Amino acid sequence: MDKLLIQGGTPLSGEVAISGAKNAALPILCASLLCAEPLRLSNVPHLNDISTMLRLIAQMGVGVTLDGTDGLLLDSSGLNNPLAPYDMVKTMRASILVLGPLLARCGEARVSLPGGCAIGARPVDQHIKGLQAMGAEVHVENGYVHAKATRLKGARIVTDMVTVTGTENLMMAAVLADGETVIENAAREPEVVDLANCLVAMGAQISGAGTDIVRIRGVERLHGATHPIMPDRIETGTYLCAAAATGGAIRLLKTSAAYLDAVVDKLLDAGCDIAVERDSIALKAPQKLKAVSLRTAPYPAFPTDMQAQFMAINCVAEGSAVIRETIFENRFMHAVELIRLGADIRIDANNAVVTGVARLDGATVMATDLRASASLVIAGLVAQGETLIERIYHLDRGYERIEEKLMKLGALVKRVH
Ligand code: UD1
């Protein structure tokens, strides 16, 4: 298993380009299942989660052709196997995103339940409830969701909580339904909007994406389209945090601050200078960061996917901060690893009190989930001496060529096989 060896203590500097958003690309790959004409995508990130999703849809009969360096051509004209087997689904929860499109296009779907994951139980009851409201017959048996519907019917769906993939799954199911579907309490995440834009380019009729009420008027069929994947706001935020923590100055290209208000605000509170242009963001760290308290919540509030990275920042800032996680029940696993590097963190249920220390020292630590791994990388870049991060397959799920990008910014990082 690959490990990442980091020699800490070098401030990041220079420029690097941000990749396409993993969490936008995953549902959009599933959107290709909705129509028999080709979907051409660009700015698709090279990530393990993307390869997993491509393998999953390929075994359903989708033709996948690489198109240039970051492009894909997806051809679902031969879709013949609406099944997502456990072996593929167990490695990636987002596989549940095939359920809505398969049901809408094929009239049936058999998708393995994703099961729990390290950061929390993460059930899919809202996805199922929404499909049932649209007239689907859904049974959960032997670890699989079996769903059937000759044609889904438009419905009013009020989700119990804001769910990102839930909103996306129901939106994809509704585009081919008979009549209008209204999703209330919908997720407002920019990735939901990117998916809606792609579906609209394919001929879907959707309004309100990006607000908490999304209206979808079903159409008979969709057609082929071309769509560029939006930049990854979480990758952007992660590199900004790495520059802030190391006392660096960097510029991130091919990205946008438009979806990062809550993160940029916290970096400004921490004392960073930030300059935003249309397609780039530059950050200059202060002499000493100030600790910043935060509370995670659905977009446009502070994203749970940036919580771990800000914990790393607070470890070396001046003062104490309280981090409150409200989305997932077990998302502080990075804290114990950060403590191994010398951090001062106290956890009390879903609150973490982080008090900045004068220095962190390198150690061997273990990555436990995707964003937790990012916080360990940031801490390793700051720590004196060597930090060895084990199980970096988590990082490879969500950060494209991370060691290459960090080296471009001057970090001393090496992948160890
Ligand atoms: C997505 C993101 C993930 C991010 C998360 C929250 C993708 C591929 N993943 O995950 O990176 O951390 O949003 O911003 O886009 N819930 C239920 N029942 C459901 C659905 C959700 O109880 O049917 C709960 C979850 O357990 C969680 C909360 O709702 O506590 C929000 O989860 P959700 O927004 O669905 O997360 P994902 O879409 O899985």
Side-chain angles (χ1 to χ4, degrees), residues 81-145:
N81 182 26
L83 166 75
Y86 175 68
D87 272 355
M88 298 187 128
V89 172
K90 70 177 181 199
T91 60
M92 189 181 61
R93 278 192 45 86
S95 315
I96 193 71
L97 283 164
V98 299
L99 181 62
L102 283 180
L103 184 59
R105 168 101 182 273
C106 306
E108 65 171 320
R110 238 157 63 83
V111 178
S112 170
L113 276 173
C117 82
I119 62 175
R122 298 177 85 175
V124 291
D125 55 307
Q126 300 302 307
H127 305 230
I128 294 175
K129 188 179 101 171
L131 294 174
Q132 283 171 329
M134 295 168 77
E137 243 182 73
V138 186
H139 301 284
V140 180
E141 250 170 38
N142 308 113
Y144 278 78
V145 182

Side-chain angles (χ1 to χ4, degrees), residues 34 43 165 174 214 217 241 261 274 335 350:
L34 284 164
N43 203 30
T165 49
V214 181
R217 179 155 291 284
C241 285
D261 285 345
I274 295 189
N350 60 347

Side-chain angles (χ1 to χ4, degrees), residues 23 122-127 161 163-165 305 327-328 331:
N23 286 354
R122 298 177 85 175
V124 291
D125 55 307
Q126 300 302 307
H127 305 230
M161 78 286 295
T163 155
V164 178
T165 49
D305 285 352
I327 308 280
F328 293 113
R331 212 173 195 185

Side-chain angles (χ1 to χ4, degrees), residues 236 251-257 275-282:
T236 306
R251 186 149 170 263
L252 302 174
L253 310 174
K254 283 182 69 183
T255 187
S256 165
V276 171
E277 283 175 27
R278 214 172 72 90
D279 295 327
S280 72
I281 308 178

